Amino acid sequence: NATCIMCDIWKEQRKDMALPNIINFLNTISASFPYSEIRLTGGEPCMHDKFFEIINEIDKRNLRKSIITNGSLFSFHNIKKISFDRIFISIDSPIKEDQKYIRGLEFNFPIETRFDMIANVIISKLNKSIITKIPEWLAQNNIRKINIIPMKDERFSLSKKEFSEVLNKLIL
């Protein structure tokens, strides 16, 4: 559902895993690794037509569950009914216009503090000038953890020196 400037996956036809295959996978995981965490990712995992059935199947096996999301469909899917162990939210900018430019969609994530929230922040040429505003936004929204990820797309990636400089600004 996003048209991220740095990614072409949205140009491809969706290839969702079928529910019976997911159930087989979950059975194998729960039998072999009963304390595993299943991390739902995508594109946007909330777009899967069987999203709630998948959640149900994970819960039946008492596996932990987390999700990596852009947050755009959370209110649409009434995500508050689901108890995730962790939510990884992709955020490139606390400024709505910048986030929309980078991801191609509005950021409308209803922050729910009962979840363990982790921000996935991809540092690139696209957000290096506003990166220092992200920690304040995270604090205001009760997000206490952050994954810093360097951009892999050569068009938007920073040199090692630039990345270190931005990282230092972010940490300080």
Side-chain angles (χ1 to χ4, degrees):
N1 69 333
T3 54
C4 304
I5 198 168
M6 68 284 201
C7 173
D8 291 336
I9 196 167
W10 54 271
K11 293 178 181 177
E12 298 172 15
Q13 186 175 353
R14 275 182 47 190
K15 299 173 195 161
D16 290 341
M17 190 183 251
L19 187 58
N21 294 345
I22 293 170
I23 291 170
N24 288 337
F25 172 76
L26 292 173
N27 288 336
T28 301
I29 293 296
S30 64
S32 302
F33 308 100
Y35 303 104
S36 294
E37 176 179 293
I38 303 299
R39 187 168 297 165
L40 304 172
T41 187
E44 175 53 51
C46 296
M47 288 181 67
H48 197 292
D49 345 358
K50 305 290 184 192
F51 180 72
F52 286 109
E53 288 93 330
I54 294 167
I55 297 297
N56 230 6
E57 293 295 333
I58 295 169
D59 288 344
K60 282 182 193 175
R61 290 155 184 83
N62 292 317
L63 295 167
R64 295 173 42 112
K65 64 184 169 301
S66 64
I67 187 169
I68 299 174
T69 179
N70 60 37
S72 65
L73 299 177
F74 266 37
S75 56
F76 175 76
H77 279 298
N78 199 2
I79 226 69
K80 290 181 180 183
K81 292 180 181 178
I82 299 172
S83 180
F84 285 105
D85 293 289
R86 296 185 293 169
I87 295 177
F88 295 83
I89 184 78
S90 300
I91 173 105
D92 301 289
S93 171
I95 301 164
K96 284 185 178 191
E97 296 77 24
D98 290 346
Q99 183 75 7
K100 186 172 183 174
Y101 173 74
I102 295 169
R103 294 279 173 174
L105 51 77
E106 295 277 335
F107 184 77
N108 71 9
F109 185 70
I111 299 303
E112 179 61 55
T113 56
R114 69 186 171 101
F115 296 121
D116 184 11
M117 302 284 293
I118 299 131
N120 280 345
V121 179
I122 297 175
I123 298 178
S124 71
K125 291 177 183 175
L126 300 167
N127 65 356
K128 75 176 188 174
S129 63
I130 51 88
I131 204 77
T132 56
K133 296 178 184 190
I134 289 179
E136 182 182 336
W137 183 91
L138 295 175
Q140 289 170 352
N141 289 287
N142 267 343
I143 300 174
R144 304 281 182 240
K145 298 175 184 172
I146 184 171
N147 287 330
I148 305 296
I149 305 163
M151 170 64 73
K152 292 183 180 167
D153 185 319
E154 292 176 9
R155 298 171 297 167
F156 306 107
S157 62
L158 300 173
S159 68
K160 287 181 182 182
K161 182 182 178 198
E162 287 176 303
F163 182 79
S164 292
E165 289 169 356
V166 171
L167 192 56
N168 284 332
K169 287 180 190 175
L170 189 59
I171 293 171
L172 300 176

